Amino acid sequence: MSTILMTGASRGLGRHAAEHLLRHHPDRHLLVLNRAPGLAAELAARTGNRNVSEITCDLASFADIRRAAAEVDRPLTGFVGNAGLQVQSTRARTADGVEMTFGVNVLAYHLLLNLLLPRFTAPARILVVGSDVHDPRTNSLGLVPPPRWTDPRELARPREGTARDGRRAYATSKLGVLYLVHALARRLPAGVDAYTYNPGLVPGTSLARDAGPVGRAVFQAVGRVLSATPAATRPAEAGRLLAEAAAGPRPGDSGSYVSKGRVVPSSAESYDERREEELWAVADELCGLAEARRRAG
């Protein structure tokens, strides 16, 4: 039985995606990484499919990521990196002293995927969830400012900032996801594909859970308005599309940007091989992978 490993399966569109996989792809085993134990039992009870297991993992800790990756003891044919966060500042830091949004949304996946690479057996598919807020053309009603890319070492450094700076850091991290996926796709063996997946505008997610009462109220109000527009995707539908991108027909060429089930171009800024390779090298250093690569090479 082939195995798909998934992060961010406890709530929102990720929960819908996990349940869809268990209900509609019973030939797959689902391995979930979650901060607290008990999710696998919940999913099994909810879907009636017991082909689900779990490993606890805090993506805000490199040590915990390494420990969790070492516990993966089966071949993988799929990966869905859905867990992500939006912090209402740029001061919060991970256990390793990295700015929280960049650390979890970008560096955690760089480390986790590199540690898991020997486990992937072709044909295999890797999806990391991005967002259309990486594109300055996206209309987010001004709530999420466009990304502002700079030296990745600076993006990884906690710094003083406002709630708006925190939201910009989120958009910038999603641009970073595209850069890492492009760099990863160039390095994967034949038969192992990597994609950035954009679920679109999904009102009702918990991205604003770290905002204050006023901020949460604003996001909820805007979400209610946007839910009535054709631009919005309901969490259940977004989860279904994510699950089918992971386990259904091959979406397209490796490295593609899959938006709501269709391959489309991402922003012009997201295609920059120099930035992609610089981010890959800096991520190696920050995640402690550079020395291992030097020894292996």
Side-chain angles (χ1 to χ4, degrees), residues 62 110 153 279-291 294:
F62 291 158
H110 181 77
R153 294 174 185 82
L279 176 57
W280 186 275
V282 172
D284 269 1
E285 292 177 11
L286 295 175
C287 294
L289 294 169
E291 182 58 32
R294 283 192 288 268

Side-chain angles (χ1 to χ4, degrees), residues 203-204 216-229 232 234:
R216 287 196 300 272
V218 170
F219 272 89
Q220 289 167 2
V222 172
R224 286 192 293 271
V225 172
L226 293 176
S227 293
T229 71
R234 296 189 179 278

Side-chain angles (χ1 to χ4, degrees), residues 21-88:
L21 285 168
L22 289 168
R23 288 191 175 104
H24 298 278
H25 296 275
D27 58 325
R28 312 292 179 94
H29 181 89
L30 183 63
L31 171 58
V32 291
L33 265 59
N34 199 50
R35 290 185 64 182
L39 178 58
E42 287 181 20
L43 290 169
R46 176 84 174 173
T47 64
N49 184 347
R50 304 195 66 81
N51 290 325
V52 54
S53 58
E54 68 185 4
I55 296 174
T56 59
C57 181
D58 182 358
L59 292 177
S61 166
F62 291 158
D64 213 44
I65 292 171
R66 289 181 178 276
R67 189 265 313 153
E71 292 184 21
V72 178
D73 61 356
R74 59 177 69 215
L76 300 175
T77 57
F79 178 94
V80 179
N82 176 63
L85 51 78
Q86 177 179 302
V87 181
Q88 297 302 301

Side-chain angles (χ1 to χ4, degrees), residues 94-156:
T94 68
D96 304 279
V98 175
E99 191 278 317
M100 183 68 77
T101 301
F102 190 77
V104 171
N105 294 359
V106 181
L107 296 183
Y109 285 117
H110 181 77
L111 177 59
L112 182 57
L113 284 168
N114 274 279
L115 295 174
L116 292 176
L117 281 183
R119 291 289 180 189
F120 287 99
T121 58
R125 199 175 299 169
I126 295 167
L127 287 93
V128 183
V129 173
S131 172
D132 51 13
V133 299
H134 86 277
D135 190 336
R137 298 170 300 177
T138 299
N139 179 13
S140 61
L141 301 183
L143 291 177
V144 182
R148 184 176 293 161
W149 192 259
T150 186
D151 184 333
R153 294 174 185 82
E154 286 300 306
L155 295 174

Side-chain angles (χ1 to χ4, degrees), residues 167-213:
R167 294 193 292 273
R168 188 187 299 278
Y170 175 74
T172 304
S173 76
K174 292 305 184 178
L175 180 59
V177 166
L178 275 153
Y179 290 152
L180 279 184
V181 168
H182 292 163
L184 176 63
R186 288 194 289 271
R187 290 165 165 82
L188 290 173
V192 181
D193 297 330
Y195 304 95
T196 303
Y197 190 86
N198 170 36
L201 174 64
V202 187
T205 64
S206 55
L207 276 176
R209 61 184 178 271
D210 291 325

